[in-house]
Amino acid sequence: MKRAYPIICGLLVLAMPVFTFGPAVRPLAVQARPQPSPSPSSASDDGAATYAKYTSGATGQHGLFTIWRKNGDIGIELQANQLGVDYIETGIPINGVGQSIFSGTTDLQPVRIIRFVRQDDKVAILFPSTRFYAKPGTPQAISVDMATAPTVVGVAKIVAENKATGAVVIDASSFLQDITGVADALNDLNSSAGPGGEYRLDSTRSFFTQTKAFPENVILSVAQTFSTSRVGDSEGLSVSPDARNLQIQLQYNIAAIPHDNYMPRLADDRIGYFINAHMDFTHDISTNKDMNYIVRWNLQPSDPSKRVSPATKPIVYYLSNTIPYRYRAPIRSALLEWNKAFEKIGISNAIEVRDQPNDPNFDPDDIRYNVIRWLAEVNGGFAEAQLLYNPYTGEMVKAGVVVDSDLMRFANFEYPSYVAPETKKGTASTFLGGGSGDDDFLSNERMNFGFGLTALELSGGTAASGDYYVPQKYADEFLEAIVLHESGHDFGLRHNFMGSDAYTAKQLKSKAFTSRYGVSTSVMEYSPVNLWPKGTSTGDYYQTVLGPYDYYAIQWGYAAIPGARSPQDEVHTLDRWLGAGSTATYQFSSDEDVMWNEGAGVDPRNQQWDLTNDNIAWCGTQMGMARDMLHTIDQRFPRVQAPYDDLRSAFEYVAGVHSRCSQIVSRYIGGEYLSRTLRGDPHAKLPLSPIPLATEKRAFAVLRNNLFSTDAWNLSPALLRQLVTQYRGDDWLGNAPPRHDIAIETLAAKAQAATIDRLFTPVMLQRFDDMDLKYSSGTTMDVGDLFSWMQSAVFGDTGSTASGDIASGKAIPLIRRNLQRAYAAKLAFLANIPGGAATGDVPPDAQALARYELGDLRHAIRRALGRGVPDLVTRAHLEALDADAQRALDVHGGSSGLSLSF
Ligand SMILES: [Zn+2]
């Protein structure tokens, strides 16, 4: 079954339905839908009040529905023609708990359809089952109806009825229930509390807060208290003064479905649109039931007979009045940039940007407005796209972008980036260990920003900015790139992590090139700062223009196909457009292709934060630059009278970029190239192709020199004595880092482990082991190459007397000793784990190779010890290594199922 990818920069989407259904599916309950004619019971004394009696003394907010407020209760007035009708519904938290539940997240509840169905004197509030579709009126539709079940949100009492119009007012208290599953999310967070640690909704402390009514949507906000008697050690819950009683505020938005003759367009895996997934049971002509629509706006030219004409209904963005003046120009410029892509398909003025009107009634919650908002969260520093679309068709109803002010502030070397790696998320430090997760986008964007600033400062470029490290032009380009990317999501576009693969290094160094084509083929790529050694580049730092893929994607998704009367009619033309584009410039890959930690990512061209069509060379250059910067970094950081934390932050950004590149390069080791082309496409390739052995050797050489070698971590003692945390705010109370300085050997160990652990996961070992079945021997790396290359990189050339750490007879430095012990432990683990051929097993070959290499290591150590070693620590280290290896080899695993921990 297809799943929509709700990943927007690891962030938040206002509405991403996982499954949706076609407009004609109606659960059985609705087929028995009663007419809204008054029944005798509703007129009785214990039934509904008369409309006039109810509304006297109540406050009404008039919009899509009238919201009545009376004595703290909320009533929703539904007109007769609104009963049994479908609306779009979302439920999102207004506040978070700093973990799992965030302001604005849709992880709790995807967008749904909501329907109010009258039954006698009550109204059932339903979320219809939205997974399946069949053409209305067919036997298949009845079958689908019978197989699905709606969710009943509640059965609301009719509190008033207008006999003249058929309108009813229902009690809204169903919305005070835990509709979005907050308690479950909190319980997941609090699982360490054990028995008694369950959160439950406390209805006595839950109430409606703000309600709003607009012409096309209404907003119901609630404040709900979730209580428990025990709190575990969740860091997230500690943000509350008393986490036993947490108030979570939620905002429910109910919106009308647009009726504007929109025809959906069918999705295709070869191009990156968000999909609105359905399963169609109408036909048996295909084994594939997928009926997936792309998410997009209904944008049409006003005069299709002209080459270009204005949009019939442009997308109007409002810049909220909270955006600082200095940032409005880059935001406006990014949004308007999209007009160029729509002009190419005959639609001018597709996007308009206006300042928020000076009108107290203007409200960003009004669904008619697409708003760019600027927030000031306590611990923010993010940007996100917000989409709301019709889950039947994928038609976009409202979009927006939220930028948190800390995004620009963190990188200015303010406090949050100083926090110790072990105590806070979201700093560059989190990346040093190969971090990935929700904050991956944020920490990487801050790292890009900080790395670029540090480089500019070291080359003397920011001195004119006075106390402030950030030149405005640099900050503006950074922000413009982010808004371009987020607004791309607003048009329905998914990430394209293949976007960096088409351009050469020479092109990226040229201003003439990057100002026209960008630093990658798509703004939907995660592009790092485009930086080269001093004096070799004039290219733009960030992507401030649409790339060729973006033009192509907008054309594919939005250009009209004359004569097509159904989505199916368009398929032939859409296939043709895709085939014509299957070249490097138009390649597409996305989130599902970069899941490296899960083992699903295999193609090293599909990466985030890389540049050029030669990642290995580019990373070699970036790592060289990083090392050069670390040699001079303490000459410019900190400035006079500034804290040493500035130096530490700059160091973290630079070291973070260095570490990130080692991971990018490592993905060539044991990788394979993937192709999304289909048979019959021009330039079609087989889905899998080998990475040439020579390419893998190049990649491994970069790792050997920049990650595993001792030289890679050589920093001057003077620098190490300055890399300290000086901040002494009250935040440190009870939260002090364990050391004042940075333990460089820990950073090295983390960076090395991130690569080694991934290469030696069972799924990777299995893939290395069976390469020989797909490719002829010597074409690409095999499992033997992995073990022998690593053995050589970690221990030196153990088989030779001439070189290598162990054979050299010289002292072995600290970082090297740690690497050797850690890698020996990895071998010992593999040597004793029961091997097997099932998915998820360590292959027997890997187990055998681990044992072989441990034996080889022992042999080398014994020879080295026999020749004599220069100091006590080196001797102790070698003897310990030997003991580790001996123990691993002597323990014959098999049935004991032992787990060794070294
Ligand atoms: Zn994104």
Side-chain angles (χ1 to χ4, degrees), residues 76 80 88 181 216 230 291 348 396 406-407 491 498 511 560 573 643 648 669 739 759 777 823 835 873:
I76 304 173
I88 301 171
E216 291 169 27
R230 289 165 65 93
M291 187 177 73
S348 59
M396 197 83 79
D406 277 346
L407 186 71
F491 297 110
M498 194 67 108
K511 172 89 179 166
T573 304
R648 182 195 157 103
I669 309 299
R739 289 177 61 153
L759 291 177
S777 181
Y823 184 64
V873 178

Side-chain angles (χ1 to χ4, degrees), residues 235-395:
E235 190 189 333
L237 295 174
S238 67
V239 300
S240 172
D242 179 356
R244 290 171 303 174
N245 296 293
L246 290 172
Q247 188 188 67
I248 306 290
Q249 298 186 58
L250 290 145
Q251 187 188 71
Y252 295 101
N253 184 5
I254 302 173
I257 290 178
H259 295 283
D260 54 2
N261 295 321
Y262 175 74
M263 188 170 83
R265 179 159 287 183
L266 285 163
D268 193 297
D269 288 340
R270 290 167 287 178
I271 195 159
Y273 275 86
F274 289 122
I275 61 170
N276 188 208
H278 311 247
M279 297 188 83
D280 184 357
F281 285 79
T282 308
H283 301 292
D284 297 326
I285 51 174
S286 162
T287 52
N288 185 356
K289 294 196 285 284
D290 291 345
M291 187 177 73
N292 301 327
Y293 295 141
I294 65 170
V295 172
R296 62 168 182 172
W297 291 92
N298 187 6
L299 264 179
Q300 306 290 340
S302 53
D303 185 351
S305 68
K306 287 191 177 159
R307 196 182 62 78
V308 180
S309 64
T312 48
K313 193 176 171 216
I315 302 165
V316 181
Y317 278 105
Y318 292 87
L319 303 185
S320 87
N321 58 13
T322 56
I323 301 173
Y325 293 115
R326 67 167 282 199
Y327 293 130
R328 293 188 188 186
I331 292 174
R332 185 182 300 271
S333 165
L335 296 169
L336 292 174
E337 171 76 8
W338 288 97
N339 273 330
K340 295 180 190 167
F342 288 102
E343 267 158 33
K344 286 213 162 178
I345 56 168
I347 307 172
S348 59
N349 296 85
I351 291 106
E352 287 180 21
V353 182
R354 300 180 191 160
D355 288 316
Q356 173 177 333
N358 191 15
D359 173 358
N361 293 322
F362 179 89
D363 189 323
D365 286 334
D366 188 329
I367 206 164
R368 295 172 301 167
Y369 303 133
N370 308 301
V371 185
I372 309 296
R373 287 195 253 192
W374 194 268
L375 302 183
E377 295 276 308
V378 177
N379 189 13
F382 56 88
E384 70 193 36
Q386 300 188 311
L387 324 181
L388 182 72
Y389 59 83
N390 178 355
Y392 287 137
T393 60
E395 180 181 359

Side-chain angles (χ1 to χ4, degrees), residues 487-533:
S487 55
H489 287 314
D490 282 359
F491 297 110
L493 298 183
R494 294 186 62 202
H495 292 141
N496 183 2
F497 297 130
M498 194 67 108
S500 58
D501 198 57
Y503 298 162
T504 64
K506 190 176 169 200
Q507 288 169 330
L508 291 199
K509 293 177 189 175
S510 155
K511 172 89 179 166
F513 184 88
T514 59
S515 61
R516 185 158 176 208
Y517 301 107
V519 300
S520 92
T521 62
S522 175
V523 301
M524 305 315 294
E525 169 70 282
Y526 281 177
S527 293
V529 56
N530 177 33
L531 214 59
W532 296 86

Side-chain angles (χ1 to χ4, degrees), residues 513-592:
F513 184 88
T514 59
S515 61
R516 185 158 176 208
Y517 301 107
V519 300
S520 92
T521 62
S522 175
V523 301
M524 305 315 294
E525 169 70 282
Y526 281 177
S527 293
V529 56
N530 177 33
L531 214 59
W532 296 86
K534 197 180 173 190
T536 65
S537 170
T538 57
D540 289 301
Y541 296 124
Y542 292 102
Q543 179 104 13
T544 56
V545 295
L546 299 181
Y549 167 87
D550 302 315
Y551 286 96
Y552 161 72
I554 290 294
Q555 188 261 338
W556 186 89
Y558 284 86
I561 298 178
R565 299 175 67 180
S566 74
Q568 200 58 37
D569 288 349
E570 298 189 330
V571 170
H572 180 72
T573 304
L574 294 174
D575 279 347
R576 188 162 48 79
W577 287 351
L578 279 171
S582 54
T583 59
T585 310
Y586 303 115
Q587 286 181 104
F588 161 69
S589 80
S590 200
D591 301 84
E592 63 272 28

